[in-house]
Amino acid sequence: ELYDMLATTACKELERVGKRPSFKSKYILQIVEKLAAAGLRNANVRNLHLAAAECLESKGEHLEIVKILRNKDQSYDLLSARALLWLWRFSSRQSKLKSVPLTEKKKFSSWVEAFDNPSKPLVVDFGCGMGVSLLGLATICDDSDHLDDVFLQSKEGSLTNFTRWRQANYLGCDLSPLATGYAQGIANRWNIQGRLQFV
């Protein structure tokens, strides 16, 4: 895949030039942040993180990030603060649409086509933007058993008593085709498009 090749090439380049004084620490951080914002999370990215940590450590800068990059239990991915900040900066520069362009085509003609199992409950996020909330909810539920017992609370009490997050489909809606295209690309890359769709 293109992103795997990109991560491998970036890792080799960091190993080649990352420790040079002329190669600034901010360039290393930008590489790591942009690949995290692209939703990469595989062995190639792990190697890139280790190479970036080694380069930053040799420069004696951003040592708090070095710890995160080296730690197998912590992740520097799409849901990391710096990657989310990068996404926010990017999305805040985009023009805001007031309506959906007439040229936009439907992705599917019915909900039955949209999800692997359309009989599951549907969680909808209107105005989802880049889809990070739904991507996080859909993947954190995959990685964690304790979220099956979670329910949302407000001052008025329970917003919902729905506790089977793994047994749900997710739909993100936004006016921006750029934002939903980005989010759907990540969902496809993470292989969760059978229960997470963006329109």
Side-chain angles (χ1 to χ4, degrees):
E1 180 177 305
L2 175 64
Y3 287 100
D4 290 334
M5 292 187 319
L6 183 61
T8 302
T9 304
C11 183
K12 288 178 181 177
E13 282 299 297
L14 281 180
E15 290 169 352
R16 187 175 72 84
V17 299
K19 293 182 182 178
R20 293 181 185 169
S22 61
F23 199 80
K24 297 179 181 178
S25 296
K26 74 176 186 176
Y27 301 151
I28 298 167
L29 292 174
Q30 288 171 346
I31 290 169
V32 172
E33 288 169 8
K34 288 182 181 182
L35 288 176
L40 295 183
R41 45 181 214 176
N42 57 26
N44 292 334
V45 174
R46 182 74 190 133
N47 294 336
L48 174 74
H49 288 174
L50 294 174
E54 189 176 316
C55 294
L56 289 170
E57 193 171 50
S58 72
K59 294 174 183 293
E61 299 176 12
H62 303 287
L63 298 179
E64 71 284 354
I65 294 175
V66 169
K67 290 178 186 174
I68 294 170
L69 292 173
R70 287 189 190 268
N71 191 340
K72 288 182 183 179
D73 296 330
Q74 283 185 303
S75 62
Y76 197 91
D77 60 7
L78 175 65
L79 302 176
S80 301
R82 290 186 69 99
L84 291 173
L85 180 61
W86 186 89
L87 274 177
W88 177 81
R89 278 191 231 126
F90 173 78
S91 65
S92 66
R93 291 188 300 252
Q94 306 306 310
S95 61
K96 306 299 179 215
L97 297 175
K98 305 252 188 280
S99 63
V100 177
L102 294 176
T103 58
E104 282 297 311
K105 296 180 181 177
K106 285 186 184 179
K107 289 170 49 172
F108 35 80
S109 58
S110 74
W111 297 117
V112 175
E113 295 174 17
F115 301 106
D116 290 344
N117 184 353
S119 65
K120 291 181 177 181
L122 183 63
V123 176
V124 181
D125 182 3
F126 291 103
C128 68
M130 304 295 259
V132 175
S133 297
L134 286 180
L135 286 163
L137 184 58
T139 57
I140 289 173
C141 289
D142 284 343
D143 300 337
S144 175
D145 290 329
H146 73 280
L147 283 178
D148 277 343
D149 298 324
V150 170
F151 59 93
L152 302 175
Q153 292 285 334
S154 72
K155 290 180 183 176
E156 293 80 29
S158 174
L159 291 174
T160 177
N161 61 2
F162 180 63
T163 60
R164 303 284 182 231
W165 294 105
R166 289 177 207 240
Q167 299 169 4
N169 290 321
Y170 300 92
L171 179 67
C173 306
D174 200 274
L175 290 176
S176 170
L178 176 76
T180 55
Y182 165 81
Q184 191 63 55
I186 300 280
N188 294 346
R189 204 167 309 123
W190 290 356
N191 201 25
I192 55 175
Q193 70 274 16
R195 60 190 180 97
L196 175 59
Q197 290 288 325
F198 293 91
V199 292

